[in-house]
Amino acid sequence: MNAPLYTYNLFSYDVGLVIAMVIGFFFGFLLERAGLGNPRKLTDIFYFEDFTVLKVMFSAIVTSSIGLWILSKTGSINLKDVLVVPTYLWPQLIGGFILGIGFVIGGYCPGTAVVGMSSGRFDALIFVMGLMLGIWLFAEGYPYIKGFYLSGYMSDMSLDKWLGITRGMVILAITLLAFIAFWGAEKIDK
């Protein structure tokens, strides 16, 4: 059997939405159980006091990278069927900077804000409302910033292409970086 399953018409669009909702529910549930619906736990990484966010994110990146790589090597998934969002360097750098500022000020990223809101946090609700306002302002202002939004186009750039090395080498480097980060976080915690 090949994946992504939807590509091979193994289920309908509606079933795909239900599967996405179930996965999203469990992802949010696990984020909440890890304490990532709490803005203090999220922002503590910036003060070198709690490294849960670093550990969760690196674990997700390493697990998904290795999993996709193994599935592609066994022929279970064709990576050409996996969407890679095109790189638009300048707007993505600015967007990442704005997201980072919002993260530090508000204590949430978009996903954890929804988790916080779902668990009844009023500050998360305000953050989500601000997020919706930002999306609306972007949509209304898009005609005026379209040129910038489409600047710095680099196609479907990935680290292996950018560095000129194999995908396996990138995954190995990221895995080693994760272990070093975990080790450093443990040292700082002690």
Side-chain angles (χ1 to χ4, degrees), residues 88 90-92 94-95 98 134-152:
Y88 293 92
W90 305 118
Q92 288 173 348
I94 298 298
I98 292 169
I135 291 168
W136 179 78
L137 289 172
F138 172 80
E140 290 298 313
Y142 180 75
Y144 305 104
I145 62 167
K146 183 178 179 182
F148 174 70
Y149 181 79
L150 298 174
S151 65

